[in-house]
Amino acid sequence: MTIYDSVTKSKLPFEPIREGEASIYVCGPTVYDDAHLGHARSSLAFDLLSRTLKALGYRVTMGKNFTDIDDKIIKKVEETGKSMQEITTYYIERYLEEMAALGVTRADIEPKATESLEAIESMIQTLIDKDHAYVVSNGDVYFDTSKDPRYGEISHKVHDDDENLSRVTHNSEKRNPKDFALWKACKGEEDICFDTAFSKGRPGWHIECSAMIEKHFHGTDEYSIDIHGGGADLLFPHHENEAAQSRCATGHELAKYWMHNGFVQIDGEKMSKSLGNSFFLKDALEVYDGEILRYYLNSVHYRNDFNFNEEDLLTAKKRLDKLYRLKKRVLPGKASVVNKAFKKALLDAMGDDLNISVALSVIDDMIATANEKLDANPKDKAFKKETIANIEFIDTLLGFGGKEPFSYFQIGVDEALKAQIEKLIEARTEAKKEKDFERSDAIRDELTAMGIAIMDTAEGTVWEKA
């Protein structure tokens, strides 16, 4: 496996810190609103990474956090009158449901900030004790970036860049403009705060992940984990600050590799709430099946920016349709063994920094070859079993192709129409039993006029949207 490391800006061979194991931590959402396509893109990218490493034989441990205490969440509490726990629980559940609809495997470790306060306080205290952090008069705690000679090595950002510095809250007592908050003291009686030895307040955003990683992962003397991932927008300041505070608190590096996925754009414009064109995942899932969205969102390499538009999505669906039409040809039946050359080609592609374009072309070639062989010999049971095994491997590795094919081709038909179709099929079955073939043919014609194709099988009549 080779992966692109954002720090060295090069592809590196994956050499885990513990032989045969792979530890991955991905920055999860701040749970004050619904998930958008940017969240989906990041989750899907690192789901592919996890699946690929597992297929290559690694024991993978995946962690993804939930930021459940934050200024945006507190603002939502003020706006809605609901408790912080009500709001965060609701959006965590929604997030998990929507990621499941995309076929994203749940993380092994899903820590929350509010459940990690002891670890956060401990790491901050360690930094204070080592003189890498300081407390100002109002109780805020800041990380002293001047004490870390390696600050800036993760993102390669210029330290005095005004645009970057403007992202860090200004405080006249800060020693350096680029110092960042580890702990924010209470602003008033109404504020949501927690008690610590240094002040009553709440954690800064950056410290969460560092503390959670140290709490849940058992690293080595050199690194806490193998891979730290997230969206490209997190490289600075979030990941830069994480790396600095972890390095200074523990004496070793946070991650051996840093991976970042590209932005999502809608028709060429960077997706941003400030631009008013945020595309919530829930809206996409109302229109498109989760597996089709998964296939589409994964069809562009994870490091590239993704331009979401309906025309490309429908083109991607047609490509996925071909896999399901092949699956329909080889079922019913049981899988035998995956074709070795096919499996190797897929793993070689995904092992090359998740080269999905090559992987999808390998699948396209397999589909074309399989259809040719089935045209020549439609009763080749051994080949059908191998093809079923190939499709099952695609589902394991890439997370699509696992549906029953006829139900896949029923996607987009609402429940009322499904009930109507099933009723007509039942009536046709009765007509055939009574040898009323004129009535049977009339019902078939009626279904055809509705855009529904039917097929009589040993298990009964099945149908699909034509």
Side-chain angles (χ1 to χ4, degrees):
M1 178 90 190
T2 59
I3 58 177
Y4 184 89
D5 175 49
S6 302
V7 177
T8 60
K9 291 183 166 52
S10 62
K11 280 188 194 177
L12 300 174
F14 178 65
E15 296 170 350
I17 60 176
R18 293 184 186 278
E19 190 175 351
E21 298 179 17
S23 50
I24 308 168
Y25 182 92
V26 181
C27 290
T30 301
V31 284
Y32 70 99
D33 208 342
D34 287 301
H36 53 65
L37 290 172
H39 295 126
R41 182 94 198 282
S42 183
S43 287
L44 287 166
F46 293 101
D47 184 62
L48 277 186
L49 174 65
S50 175
R51 286 170 180 260
T52 300
L53 287 168
K54 285 176 183 175
L56 290 169
Y58 291 96
R59 294 186 300 280
V60 177
T61 304
M62 168 78 84
K64 184 192 288 186
N65 72 304
F66 291 107
T67 297
D68 61 346
I69 174 67
D70 178 86
D71 290 344
K72 295 186 181 84
I73 296 169
I74 292 168
K75 186 180 178 186
K76 197 91 170 186
V77 170
E78 293 167 354
E79 290 172 351
T80 64
K82 294 180 180 178
S83 71
M84 188 173 74
Q85 188 171 7
E86 278 181 290
I87 290 166
T88 57
T89 299
Y90 173 78
Y91 286 116
I92 287 171
E93 287 175 357
R94 287 289 296 266
Y95 176 88
L96 291 173
E97 286 169 8
E98 289 166 5
M99 293 307 138
L102 294 176
V104 174
T105 306
R106 279 189 69 164
D108 304 290
I109 303 164
E110 295 176 339
K112 299 174 187 174
T114 56
E115 294 173 355
S116 309
L117 291 167
E118 191 177 328
I120 291 168
E121 180 182 357
S122 175
M123 181 170 272
I124 294 172
Q125 191 61 58
T126 298
L127 289 165
I128 293 170
D129 294 343
K130 288 185 171 185
D131 196 31
H132 285 291
Y134 55 95
V135 187
V136 298
S137 59
N138 72 344
D140 287 350
V141 183
Y142 285 93
F143 180 84
D144 188 343
T145 52
S146 70
K147 298 292 179 70
D148 178 17
R150 300 187 64 183
Y151 188 79
E153 288 186 5
I154 298 294
S155 62
H156 307 291
K157 290 283 185 183
V158 178
H159 290 179
D160 57 358
D161 183 348
D162 289 339
E163 182 185 348
N164 295 334
L165 295 182
S166 69
R167 300 176 70 174
V168 184
T169 305
H170 177 71
N171 183 300
S172 60
E173 293 184 64
K174 284 166 60 173
R175 295 176 184 171
N176 307 289
K178 59 183 176 287
D179 291 355
F180 57 89
L182 299 171
W183 189 260
K184 298 177 181 181
C186 281
K187 295 175 184 174
E189 292 296 321
E190 300 290 313
D191 208 356
I192 297 170
C193 299
F194 306 90
D195 284 317
T196 66
F198 27 87
S199 71
K200 191 174 182 181
R202 61 181 181 274
W205 179 36
H206 312 302
I207 193 68
E208 282 180 37
C209 295
S210 291
M212 290 171 180
I213 288 169
E214 290 309 310
K215 178 181 177 180
H216 294 285
F217 289 88
H218 304 289
T220 65
D221 291 338
E222 284 188 278
Y223 303 99
S224 300
I225 54 172
D226 288 297
I227 300 166
H228 196 323
D233 56 325
L234 300 182
L235 186 55
F236 185 90
H238 188 47
H239 288 168
E240 186 68 71
N241 292 348
E242 276 186 52
Q245 66 202 8
S246 289
R247 178 188 301 128
C248 292
T250 67
H252 58 245
E253 291 300 311
L254 181 56
K256 187 172 182 180
Y257 306 92
W258 293 79
M259 296 178 72
H260 295 87
N261 61 276
F263 294 114
V264 175
Q265 303 169 330
I266 297 177
D267 290 328
E269 189 173 33
K270 180 184 167 186
M271 188 182 68
S272 165
K273 289 188 178 177
S274 62
L275 297 175
N277 68 340
S278 178
F279 196 166
F280 286 120
L281 180 56
K282 65 177 182 179
D283 298 328
L285 287 169
E286 281 183 11
V287 184
Y288 308 108
D289 178 75
E291 185 174 310
I292 294 166
L293 278 174
R294 179 189 179 90
Y295 184 93
Y296 175 52
L297 287 167
N298 274 339
S299 64
V300 171
H301 191 265
Y302 78 94
R303 279 192 284 118
N304 294 338
D305 287 349
F306 190 97
N307 181 29
F308 191 102
N309 67 77
E310 193 169 31
E311 187 179 340
D312 288 348
L313 188 149
L314 294 174
T315 300
K317 183 189 177 299
K318 287 177 184 176
R319 198 174 180 188
L320 181 58
D321 286 353
K322 292 178 182 178
L323 179 66
Y324 275 102
R325 295 207 180 280
L326 174 60
K327 190 172 184 180
K328 197 166 66 169
R329 290 189 76 175
V330 296
L331 289 179
K334 290 186 177 180
S336 56
V337 179
V338 185
N339 179 279
K340 285 182 180 179
F342 173 70
K343 184 176 183 178
K344 182 180 184 302
L346 262 191
L347 286 177
D348 284 350
M350 294 304 291
D352 178 17
D353 191 39
L354 309 181
N355 194 331
I356 192 68
S357 297
V358 173
L360 293 178
S361 68
V362 169
I363 292 168
D364 289 343
D365 289 345
M366 184 275 291
I367 293 169
T369 302
N371 280 321
E372 287 174 7
K373 287 189 176 181
L374 290 168
D375 289 343
N377 189 359
K379 294 183 179 180
D380 188 339
K381 289 184 179 178
F383 181 71
K384 284 184 176 182
K385 288 180 178 180
E386 179 185 89
T387 303
I388 293 169
N390 289 349
I391 295 170
E392 287 182 357
F393 182 66
I394 292 168
D395 186 34
T396 300
L397 181 65
L398 302 178
F400 59 82
K403 291 184 189 291
E404 191 281 318
F406 280 95
S407 65
Y408 170 82
F409 287 110
Q410 292 172 10
I411 290 169
V413 179
D414 64 44
E415 292 305 314
L417 184 54
K418 279 184 182 179
Q420 186 184 346
I421 293 164
E422 295 294 347
K423 195 173 179 181
L424 285 168
I425 288 172
E426 284 176 25
R428 178 174 173 271
T429 302
E430 285 302 312
K432 288 177 71 178
K433 281 181 183 176
E434 295 167 6
K435 300 193 185 300
D436 186 351
F437 299 115
E438 188 176 341
R439 171 74 178 141
S440 167
D441 290 345
I443 293 171
R444 178 188 279 274
D445 291 343
E446 186 179 350
L447 287 164
T448 301
M450 292 165 63
I452 303 302
I454 60 173
M455 184 184 295
D456 296 316
T457 73
E459 286 76 32
T461 303
V462 290
W463 64 274
E464 66 176 58
K465 188 179 178 183

